[in-house]
Amino acid sequence: METPRNETSPRDASLLLVAFGVYLLWGAYFAFSNAEWPWFMPPQLDFIGMLLSALGDPIGAYCGGGFLALLGIALVSFPIVLFFRRM
């Protein structure tokens, strides 16, 4: 007798990518509007913010916001492109 496995479907994975991309875009908006690194970013991305803070607070925040925006756009657009490719 087989036990059911918890497997994620490609649709679930793409929804997670879109959700995380929107989260990063929200962080980019926060960085641009407040000129400081978002406090709610995961620790892996805090490392990038720490490196960019060497440029100075506002400039580092804007560079970090640009990085978050590029990463967020990539994570949002990748599942959308795959969806239209399958059609």
Side-chain angles (χ1 to χ4, degrees):
M1 187 157 76
E2 289 186 32
T3 59
R5 289 188 240 163
N6 291 334
E7 296 181 7
T8 59
S9 68
R11 181 178 176 180
D12 293 338
S14 63
L15 286 176
L16 286 173
L17 281 177
V18 169
F20 190 64
V22 169
Y23 173 72
L24 292 177
L25 288 172
W26 182 43
Y29 171 75
F30 184 86
F32 285 128
S33 65
N34 294 336
E36 63 183 30
W37 184 255
W39 56 268
F40 51 84
M41 284 291 111
Q44 293 83 1
L45 294 176
D46 281 344
F47 181 72
I48 293 167
M50 183 183 68
L51 291 176
L52 292 174
S53 68
L55 299 173
D57 283 339
I59 295 173
Y62 293 142
C63 291
F67 174 75
L68 290 177
L70 290 176
L71 190 59
I73 289 170
L75 288 178
V76 169
S77 63
F78 182 68
I80 293 172
V81 168
L82 288 180
F83 175 75
F84 284 116
R85 253 179 125 185
R86 291 182 189 173
M87 291 181 81

Coordinates of all heavy atoms in Angstrom, one line a residue:
M1 N 0.8 -1.2 0.0 CA 0.0 0.0 0.0 C 0.9 1.3 0.0 O 1.8 1.4 0.8 CB -0.9 0.0 1.3 CG -1.9 1.1 1.3 SD -3.3 0.7 2.3 CE -2.7 1.0 3.9
E2 N 0.6 2.2 -0.9 CA 1.4 3.4 -1.1 C 0.9 4.5 -0.2 O -0.3 4.6 0.0 CB 1.4 3.8 -2.5 CG 2.2 2.9 -3.4 CD 2.3 3.6 -4.8 OE1 2.3 4.8 -4.9 OE2 2.3 2.8 -5.8
T3 N 1.8 5.2 0.4 CA 1.4 6.4 1.1 C 1.4 7.6 0.2 O 2.4 7.7 -0.6 CB 2.3 6.6 2.4 OG1 3.6 6.8 1.9 CG2 2.2 5.4 3.3
P4 N 0.5 8.5 0.3 CA 0.5 9.7 -0.6 C 1.6 10.6 -0.2 O 2.0 10.8 1.0 CB -0.8 10.3 -0.3 CG -1.3 9.9 1.0 CD -0.7 8.5 1.2
R5 N 2.3 11.1 -1.2 CA 3.4 12.1 -1.0 C 2.9 13.5 -1.1 O 1.9 13.8 -1.9 CB 4.5 11.9 -2.0 CG 5.2 10.6 -1.8 CD 6.4 10.6 -2.8 NE 6.3 9.5 -3.6 CZ 6.9 9.3 -4.8 NH1 7.7 10.2 -5.2 NH2 6.7 8.2 -5.5
N6 N 3.5 14.4 -0.4 CA 3.1 15.8 -0.5 C 4.0 16.4 -1.6 O 5.1 16.8 -1.4 CB 3.4 16.5 0.8 CG 2.4 16.1 1.8 OD1 1.3 15.6 1.5 ND2 2.7 16.2 3.1
E7 N 3.5 16.5 -2.8 CA 4.2 17.0 -3.9 C 3.6 18.3 -4.3 O 2.3 18.4 -4.3 CB 4.2 16.1 -5.1 CG 5.0 14.8 -4.8 CD 5.0 13.9 -6.1 OE1 4.5 14.3 -7.1 OE2 5.5 12.8 -5.9
T8 N 4.4 19.3 -4.6 CA 3.8 20.6 -5.1 C 3.7 20.5 -6.6 O 4.5 20.0 -7.3 CB 4.7 21.8 -4.7 OG1 6.0 21.6 -5.3 CG2 4.8 21.9 -3.2
S9 N 2.6 21.0 -7.1 CA 2.3 21.1 -8.5 C 3.1 22.3 -9.1 O 3.5 23.2 -8.4 CB 0.9 21.2 -8.8 OG 0.4 22.5 -8.4
P10 N 3.3 22.3 -10.4 CA 4.0 23.5 -11.0 C 3.2 24.7 -10.8 O 3.8 25.8 -10.7 CB 4.1 23.1 -12.5 CG 4.0 21.6 -12.5 CD 3.2 21.2 -11.4
R11 N 1.9 24.6 -10.7 CA 1.1 25.8 -10.5 C 1.3 26.4 -9.1 O 1.4 27.6 -8.9 CB -0.4 25.5 -10.7 CG -1.3 26.7 -10.5 CD -2.7 26.4 -10.8 NE -3.5 27.5 -10.5 CZ -4.8 27.6 -10.6 NH1 -5.4 26.5 -11.0 NH2 -5.4 28.7 -10.4
D12 N 1.4 25.5 -8.1 CA 1.7 26.0 -6.8 C 3.0 26.6 -6.7 O 3.2 27.7 -6.0 CB 1.6 24.8 -5.8 CG 0.2 24.3 -5.6 OD1 -0.8 25.0 -5.9 OD2 0.1 23.1 -5.2
A13 N 4.0 26.1 -7.3 CA 5.4 26.6 -7.3 C 5.4 28.0 -8.0 O 6.1 28.9 -7.5 CB 6.4 25.7 -8.0
S14 N 4.7 28.1 -9.1 CA 4.7 29.4 -9.8 C 3.9 30.5 -9.0 O 4.3 31.6 -9.0 CB 4.1 29.3 -11.2 OG 2.7 28.9 -11.1
L15 N 2.9 30.1 -8.2 CA 2.2 31.0 -7.4 C 3.1 31.5 -6.2 O 3.1 32.7 -5.8 CB 0.9 30.4 -6.8 CG -0.2 30.3 -7.8 CD1 -1.4 29.6 -7.1 CD2 -0.6 31.6 -8.3
L16 N 3.9 30.6 -5.7 CA 4.9 31.0 -4.7 C 5.9 31.9 -5.2 O 6.3 32.9 -4.5 CB 5.6 29.7 -4.1 CG 4.7 28.9 -3.2 CD1 5.5 27.6 -2.8 CD2 4.3 29.7 -1.9
L17 N 6.4 31.7 -6.4 CA 7.4 32.6 -7.1 C 6.8 34.0 -7.3 O 7.4 35.0 -7.0 CB 7.8 32.1 -8.4 CG 8.9 31.0 -8.4 CD1 9.2 30.5 -9.8 CD2 10.2 31.5 -7.7
V18 N 5.5 34.1 -7.7 CA 4.9 35.3 -7.9 C 4.7 36.0 -6.6 O 4.9 37.3 -6.5 CB 3.5 35.2 -8.7 CG1 2.7 36.4 -8.7 CG2 3.8 34.7 -10.1
A19 N 4.3 35.3 -5.6 CA 4.0 35.9 -4.2 C 5.4 36.5 -3.7 O 5.4 37.6 -3.1 CB 3.4 34.9 -3.3
F20 N 6.5 35.7 -3.8 CA 7.7 36.2 -3.3 C 8.2 37.4 -4.1 O 8.8 38.3 -3.6 CB 8.8 35.1 -3.3 CG 10.0 35.4 -2.6 CD1 10.0 35.7 -1.2 CD2 11.2 35.5 -3.2 CE1 11.2 36.0 -0.5 CE2 12.4 35.8 -2.6 CZ 12.4 36.1 -1.2
G21 N 8.0 37.4 -5.4 CA 8.3 38.5 -6.3 C 7.6 39.8 -5.9 O 8.2 40.8 -5.8
V22 N 6.3 39.6 -5.6 CA 5.5 40.8 -5.1 C 6.0 41.3 -3.8 O 6.1 42.5 -3.5 CB 4.0 40.4 -5.1 CG1 3.2 41.5 -4.3 CG2 3.5 40.2 -6.5
Y23 N 6.4 40.4 -2.9 CA 7.0 40.7 -1.6 C 8.3 41.5 -1.8 O 8.5 42.5 -1.1 CB 7.3 39.4 -0.8 CG 8.0 39.6 0.5 CD1 7.5 40.1 1.6 CD2 9.4 39.1 0.6 CE1 8.1 40.3 2.8 CE2 10.1 39.2 1.8 CZ 9.4 39.8 2.8 OH 10.1 39.9 4.0
L24 N 9.1 41.1 -2.8 CA 10.4 41.8 -3.0 C 10.1 43.2 -3.7 O 10.8 44.2 -3.4 CB 11.3 41.0 -3.9 CG 11.9 39.8 -3.3 CD1 12.7 39.0 -4.4 CD2 12.7 40.1 -2.1
L25 N 9.1 43.3 -4.5 CA 8.7 44.6 -5.1 C 8.2 45.5 -4.0 O 8.4 46.7 -4.1 CB 7.7 44.4 -6.2 CG 8.2 43.7 -7.5 CD1 7.0 43.4 -8.4 CD2 9.2 44.7 -8.1
W26 N 7.5 45.0 -3.0 CA 7.0 45.8 -1.9 C 8.2 46.3 -1.1 O 8.2 47.5 -0.7 CB 6.1 45.0 -1.0 CG 5.5 45.7 0.1 CD1 5.0 47.0 0.1 CD2 5.3 45.2 1.4 NE1 4.5 47.3 1.4 CE2 4.7 46.2 2.2 CE3 5.7 44.0 2.1 CZ2 4.5 46.1 3.6 CZ3 5.4 43.9 3.4 CH2 4.8 44.9 4.1
G27 N 9.2 45.4 -0.9 CA 10.4 45.9 -0.3 C 11.2 46.9 -1.0 O 11.7 47.9 -0.5
A28 N 11.2 46.8 -2.4 CA 11.8 47.8 -3.2 C 11.1 49.2 -3.1 O 11.7 50.2 -3.0 CB 11.8 47.4 -4.7
Y29 N 9.8 49.1 -3.1 CA 9.0 50.3 -2.9 C 9.3 51.0 -1.5 O 9.5 52.2 -1.4 CB 7.5 50.0 -3.0 CG 6.6 51.2 -2.6 CD1 6.5 52.3 -3.4 CD2 6.0 51.2 -1.4 CE1 5.7 53.3 -3.1 CE2 5.2 52.3 -1.0 CZ 5.0 53.4 -1.9 OH 4.3 54.4 -1.5
F30 N 9.4 50.2 -0.5 CA 9.8 50.7 0.8 C 11.2 51.3 0.8 O 11.4 52.4 1.4 CB 9.7 49.5 1.9 CG 10.0 49.9 3.3 CD1 9.0 50.4 4.1 CD2 11.3 49.9 3.8 CE1 9.2 50.8 5.4 CE2 11.5 50.2 5.1 CZ 10.5 50.7 5.9
A31 N 12.1 50.7 0.2 CA 13.5 51.2 0.1 C 13.5 52.5 -0.6 O 14.2 53.5 -0.2 CB 14.4 50.2 -0.6
F32 N 12.8 52.7 -1.7 CA 12.8 53.9 -2.5 C 12.0 55.0 -1.8 O 12.4 56.2 -1.8 CB 12.2 53.7 -3.9 CG 13.1 53.0 -4.8 CD1 12.6 51.9 -5.5 CD2 14.4 53.4 -5.0 CE1 13.5 51.2 -6.4 CE2 15.2 52.8 -5.9 CZ 14.8 51.7 -6.6
S33 N 10.9 54.7 -1.1 CA 10.1 55.7 -0.5 C 10.7 56.2 0.8 O 10.5 57.4 1.2 CB 8.7 55.2 -0.3 OG 8.6 54.2 0.6
N34 N 11.3 55.4 1.6 CA 11.9 55.8 2.9 C 13.4 56.0 2.9 O 13.9 56.4 3.9 CB 11.5 54.7 4.0 CG 10.1 54.6 4.2 OD1 9.3 55.6 4.0 ND2 9.6 53.5 4.7
A35 N 14.1 55.7 1.8 CA 15.5 55.8 1.7 C 16.2 55.0 2.8 O 17.3 55.5 3.3 CB 15.9 57.3 1.7
E36 N 15.7 53.9 3.1 CA 16.4 53.0 4.1 C 16.1 51.5 3.7 O 15.1 51.3 3.1 CB 16.0 53.3 5.5 CG 14.6 53.1 5.8 CD 14.2 53.4 7.3 OE1 14.9 54.3 7.8 OE2 13.3 52.8 7.8
W37 N 16.9 50.6 4.1 CA 16.8 49.2 3.8 C 15.5 48.7 4.6 O 15.4 49.0 5.7 CB 18.0 48.4 4.2 CG 17.9 47.0 3.8 CD1 17.7 46.0 4.7 CD2 18.0 46.4 2.5 NE1 17.7 44.8 4.0 CE2 17.9 45.0 2.7 CE3 18.2 46.9 1.2 CZ2 17.9 44.2 1.6 CZ3 18.3 46.1 0.2 CH2 18.1 44.7 0.3
P38 N 14.7 47.9 3.9 CA 13.5 47.4 4.6 C 13.8 46.5 5.7 O 14.6 45.6 5.6 CB 12.7 46.6 3.5 CG 13.3 47.1 2.2 CD 14.7 47.6 2.5
W39 N 13.2 46.7 6.8 CA 13.4 45.9 8.0 C 12.8 44.5 7.9 O 13.2 43.6 8.6 CB 12.9 46.6 9.3 CG 11.4 46.9 9.2 CD1 10.9 48.1 8.7 CD2 10.3 46.1 9.5 NE1 9.5 48.0 8.8 CE2 9.2 46.8 9.3 CE3 10.2 44.8 10.0 CZ2 7.9 46.3 9.5 CZ3 8.9 44.3 10.3 CH2 7.8 45.1 10.0
F40 N 11.9 44.3 7.0 CA 11.2 43.0 6.9 C 11.7 42.0 5.9 O 11.1 41.0 5.6 CB 9.7 43.3 6.6 CG 9.4 44.2 5.4 CD1 9.5 43.7 4.2 CD2 9.2 45.5 5.6 CE1 9.2 44.5 3.1 CE2 9.0 46.4 4.6 CZ 9.0 45.9 3.3
M41 N 12.9 42.4 5.3 CA 13.5 41.5 4.3 C 14.1 40.2 5.0 O 14.6 40.3 6.2 CB 14.6 42.2 3.6 CG 14.1 43.1 2.5 SD 13.3 42.3 1.1 CE 11.6 42.7 1.3
P42 N 14.2 39.1 4.4 CA 14.8 37.9 5.0 C 16.3 38.1 5.2 O 16.9 39.0 4.5 CB 14.6 36.8 3.9 CG 13.9 37.4 2.8 CD 13.6 38.9 3.0
P43 N 16.9 37.4 6.1 CA 18.3 37.6 6.5 C 19.2 37.4 5.3 O 20.3 38.0 5.3 CB 18.6 36.5 7.6 CG 17.2 36.1 8.1 CD 16.2 36.4 7.0
Q44 N 18.9 36.6 4.4 CA 19.8 36.4 3.2 C 19.9 37.7 2.4 O 21.0 38.0 1.9 CB 19.2 35.3 2.3 CG 19.2 33.9 2.9 CD 18.0 33.6 3.8 OE1 17.2 34.5 4.0 NE2 18.0 32.5 4.4
L45 N 18.8 38.4 2.3 CA 18.9 39.7 1.6 C 19.4 40.8 2.5 O 19.9 41.8 1.9 CB 17.5 40.0 1.0 CG 17.0 39.1 -0.1 CD1 15.6 39.4 -0.5 CD2 17.9 39.0 -1.2
D46 N 19.4 40.6 3.8 CA 20.0 41.6 4.7 C 21.5 41.7 4.5 O 22.1 42.8 4.6 CB 19.6 41.3 6.1 CG 18.2 41.7 6.5 OD1 17.6 42.5 5.8 OD2 17.8 41.2 7.6
F47 N 22.1 40.6 4.1 CA 23.5 40.6 3.8 C 23.8 41.5 2.6 O 24.8 42.3 2.7 CB 24.0 39.2 3.5 CG 25.4 39.1 3.2 CD1 26.4 39.2 4.2 CD2 25.9 38.9 1.9 CE1 27.7 39.1 3.9 CE2 27.2 38.8 1.6 CZ 28.2 38.9 2.7
I48 N 23.0 41.5 1.6 CA 23.2 42.4 0.5 C 23.0 43.9 0.9 O 23.7 44.8 0.5 CB 22.2 42.1 -0.7 CG1 22.6 40.7 -1.2 CG2 22.2 43.1 -1.8 CD1 21.6 40.1 -2.1
G49 N 22.0 44.1 1.8 CA 21.8 45.5 2.3 C 22.9 45.9 3.1 O 23.3 47.1 3.1
M50 N 23.5 45.0 3.9 CA 24.7 45.4 4.7 C 25.9 45.8 3.8 O 26.6 46.7 4.1 CB 25.1 44.2 5.6 CG 26.2 44.5 6.5 SD 26.7 43.1 7.5 CE 27.3 42.0 6.2
L51 N 26.1 45.0 2.7 CA 27.2 45.4 1.8 C 26.9 46.7 1.1 O 27.8 47.5 0.9 CB 27.3 44.3 0.7 CG 27.9 42.9 1.2 CD1 27.9 41.9 0.1 CD2 29.2 43.1 1.8
L52 N 25.7 47.0 0.7 CA 25.4 48.2 0.0 C 25.3 49.4 1.0 O 25.4 50.6 0.5 CB 24.0 48.1 -0.7 CG 24.1 47.2 -1.9 CD1 22.7 47.0 -2.5 CD2 25.0 47.7 -3.0
S53 N 25.2 49.2 2.3 CA 25.2 50.3 3.2 C 26.6 51.0 3.3 O 26.7 52.1 3.8 CB 24.8 49.8 4.6 OG 25.8 49.0 5.2
A54 N 27.6 50.3 2.8 CA 28.9 51.0 2.7 C 28.9 52.2 1.8 O 29.8 53.1 1.9 CB 30.0 50.0 2.2
L55 N 28.0 52.3 0.9 CA 27.9 53.4 0.0 C 27.2 54.7 0.7 O 27.3 55.7 0.1 CB 27.0 53.1 -1.2 CG 27.5 52.0 -2.1 CD1 26.5 51.6 -3.2 CD2 28.8 52.4 -2.7
G56 N 26.7 54.5 1.9 CA 25.9 55.5 2.6 C 24.5 55.1 2.7 O 24.0 54.3 1.9
D57 N 23.8 55.7 3.6 CA 22.4 55.3 3.9 C 21.5 55.5 2.7 O 20.9 54.6 2.2 CB 21.9 56.0 5.1 CG 22.4 55.3 6.4 OD1 22.8 54.2 6.3 OD2 22.4 56.0 7.4
P58 N 21.3 56.7 2.1 CA 20.3 56.8 1.1 C 20.8 56.1 -0.2 O 20.0 55.5 -0.9 CB 20.2 58.3 0.9 CG 21.2 59.0 1.7 CD 21.8 58.0 2.6
I59 N 22.1 56.3 -0.6 CA 22.5 55.7 -1.8 C 22.5 54.1 -1.7 O 22.1 53.5 -2.7 CB 23.9 56.2 -2.2 CG1 23.9 57.7 -2.4 CG2 24.5 55.4 -3.4 CD1 25.3 58.3 -2.6
G60 N 22.9 53.6 -0.6 CA 22.8 52.1 -0.4 C 21.4 51.6 -0.4 O 21.1 50.6 -1.0
A61 N 20.4 52.4 0.1 CA 19.0 52.0 0.1 C 18.5 52.0 -1.3 O 17.7 51.1 -1.7 CB 18.2 52.9 1.0
Y62 N 18.9 53.0 -2.1 CA 18.4 53.1 -3.5 C 19.0 52.0 -4.3 O 18.3 51.4 -5.1 CB 18.7 54.5 -4.1 CG 17.9 55.6 -3.5 CD1 18.5 56.8 -3.3 CD2 16.6 55.5 -3.0 CE1 17.9 57.9 -2.7 CE2 15.9 56.5 -2.5 CZ 16.6 57.7 -2.3 OH 15.9 58.8 -1.7
C63 N 20.2 51.7 -4.1 CA 20.9 50.6 -4.8 C 20.2 49.2 -4.4 O 20.0 48.4 -5.3 CB 22.4 50.5 -4.6 SG 23.3 51.9 -5.3
G64 N 20.0 49.1 -3.1 CA 19.3 47.9 -2.6 C 17.9 47.8 -3.2 O 17.4 46.7 -3.5
G65 N 17.2 48.9 -3.2 CA 15.9 48.9 -3.8 C 15.9 48.5 -5.2 O 15.0 47.8 -5.7
G66 N 16.8 49.0 -6.0 CA 17.0 48.6 -7.4 C 17.2 47.1 -7.5 O 16.6 46.5 -8.4
F67 N 18.1 46.6 -6.7 CA 18.3 45.1 -6.7 C 17.1 44.4 -6.4 O 16.7 43.4 -7.0 CB 19.4 44.8 -5.7 CG 19.7 43.3 -5.6 CD1 20.3 42.6 -6.6 CD2 19.2 42.6 -4.5 CE1 20.5 41.2 -6.5 CE2 19.4 41.3 -4.3 CZ 20.1 40.6 -5.3
L68 N 16.3 44.8 -5.3 CA 15.1 44.1 -5.0 C 14.1 44.2 -6.1 O 13.3 43.3 -6.4 CB 14.5 44.7 -3.7 CG 15.2 44.4 -2.4 CD1 14.6 45.2 -1.2 CD2 15.3 42.9 -2.1
A69 N 14.0 45.4 -6.8 CA 13.1 45.6 -7.9 C 13.4 44.6 -9.0 O 12.5 44.0 -9.6 CB 13.1 47.0 -8.3
L70 N 14.7 44.5 -9.4 CA 15.1 43.7 -10.5 C 14.8 42.2 -10.2 O 14.2 41.5 -11.0 CB 16.5 43.8 -10.8 CG 16.9 45.1 -11.5 CD1 18.4 45.2 -11.6 CD2 16.2 45.3 -12.8
L71 N 15.1 41.8 -8.9 CA 14.8 40.4 -8.5 C 13.3 40.1 -8.5 O 12.9 39.1 -8.9 CB 15.5 40.1 -7.2 CG 15.5 38.7 -6.7 CD1 16.3 37.8 -7.7 CD2 16.2 38.7 -5.3
G72 N 12.6 41.1 -8.0 CA 11.1 40.9 -7.9 C 10.5 40.9 -9.3 O 9.6 40.0 -9.5
I73 N 10.9 41.7 -10.2 CA 10.4 41.7 -11.5 C 10.7 40.3 -12.2 O 9.9 39.8 -12.9 CB 10.9 42.9 -12.4 CG1 10.3 44.1 -11.9 CG2 10.7 42.7 -13.9 CD1 10.9 45.4 -12.4
A74 N 11.9 39.8 -12.0 CA 12.3 38.5 -12.6 C 11.4 37.4 -12.0 O 10.9 36.5 -12.7 CB 13.7 38.2 -12.3
L75 N 11.2 37.4 -10.7 CA 10.4 36.4 -10.1 C 8.9 36.4 -10.4 O 8.2 35.4 -10.5 CB 10.6 36.4 -8.6 CG 11.9 35.9 -8.0 CD1 12.0 36.0 -6.5 CD2 12.2 34.5 -8.5
V76 N 8.4 37.6 -10.7 CA 7.0 37.8 -11.1 C 6.9 37.4 -12.6 O 5.9 36.8 -13.0 CB 6.5 39.2 -10.8 CG1 5.2 39.5 -11.5 CG2 6.4 39.4 -9.3
S77 N 7.8 37.8 -13.4 CA 7.6 37.7 -14.9 C 8.0 36.2 -15.3 O 7.4 35.8 -16.3 CB 8.5 38.6 -15.7 OG 9.9 38.4 -15.4
F78 N 8.8 35.5 -14.6 CA 9.2 34.2 -15.1 C 8.0 33.2 -15.1 O 7.8 32.6 -16.2 CB 10.3 33.6 -14.2 CG 10.8 32.3 -14.6 CD1 11.5 32.1 -15.7 CD2 10.5 31.2 -13.8 CE1 11.9 30.8 -16.1 CE2 11.0 29.9 -14.1 CZ 11.7 29.7 -15.3
P79 N 7.2 33.1 -14.1 CA 6.0 32.2 -14.2 C 5.0 32.7 -15.2 O 4.3 31.9 -15.8 CB 5.4 32.2 -12.8 CG 6.5 32.7 -11.9 CD 7.3 33.6 -12.7
I80 N 4.9 34.0 -15.4 CA 3.9 34.5 -16.4 C 4.4 34.1 -17.8 O 3.6 33.7 -18.6 CB 3.8 36.1 -16.3 CG1 3.1 36.4 -14.9 CG2 3.0 36.6 -17.4 CD1 3.1 37.8 -14.6
V81 N 5.7 34.2 -18.1 CA 6.2 33.8 -19.4 C 6.0 32.3 -19.6 O 5.6 31.9 -20.7 CB 7.7 34.2 -19.5 CG1 8.4 33.6 -20.7 CG2 7.8 35.7 -19.6
L82 N 6.3 31.5 -18.6 CA 6.0 30.1 -18.7 C 4.6 29.8 -18.9 O 4.3 28.8 -19.7 CB 6.6 29.4 -17.4 CG 8.1 29.3 -17.3 CD1 8.4 28.5 -16.0 CD2 8.7 28.6 -18.5
F83 N 3.7 30.5 -18.3 CA 2.3 30.3 -18.5 C 1.9 30.5 -19.9 O 1.1 29.7 -20.5 CB 1.5 31.1 -17.5 CG 0.0 31.1 -17.8 CD1 -0.7 30.0 -17.3 CD2 -0.7 32.1 -18.4 CE1 -2.1 29.9 -17.5 CE2 -2.1 32.0 -18.6 CZ -2.8 30.9 -18.2
F84 N 2.3 31.6 -20.5 CA 1.9 31.9 -21.9 C 2.7 31.1 -22.9 O 2.2 30.9 -24.0 CB 2.2 33.4 -22.2 CG 1.1 34.3 -21.6 CD1 1.5 35.2 -20.6 CD2 -0.2 34.2 -22.0 CE1 0.5 36.0 -20.1 CE2 -1.2 35.0 -21.4 CZ -0.8 35.9 -20.5
R85 N 3.8 30.5 -22.5 CA 4.5 29.6 -23.4 C 3.8 28.3 -23.6 O 3.8 27.6 -24.6 CB 5.9 29.3 -22.8 CG 7.0 29.9 -23.6 CD 8.3 29.6 -23.0 NE 9.1 29.0 -24.0 CZ 10.3 28.5 -23.7 NH1 10.8 28.5 -22.5 NH2 11.1 28.1 -24.7
R86 N 3.1 27.8 -22.5 CA 2.4 26.6 -22.5 C 1.1 26.7 -23.3 O 0.5 25.7 -23.7 CB 2.0 26.1 -21.1 CG 3.2 25.7 -20.3 CD 2.9 25.2 -19.0 NE 4.0 25.0 -18.2 CZ 4.0 24.8 -16.9 NH1 2.9 24.6 -16.3 NH2 5.1 24.6 -16.2
M87 N 0.6 27.9 -23.5 CA -0.7 28.0 -24.2 C -0.6 27.8 -25.7 O 0.4 27.7 -26.3 CB -1.3 29.4 -24.0 CG -1.7 29.6 -22.6 SD -2.4 31.2 -22.3 CE -4.1 30.9 -22.9

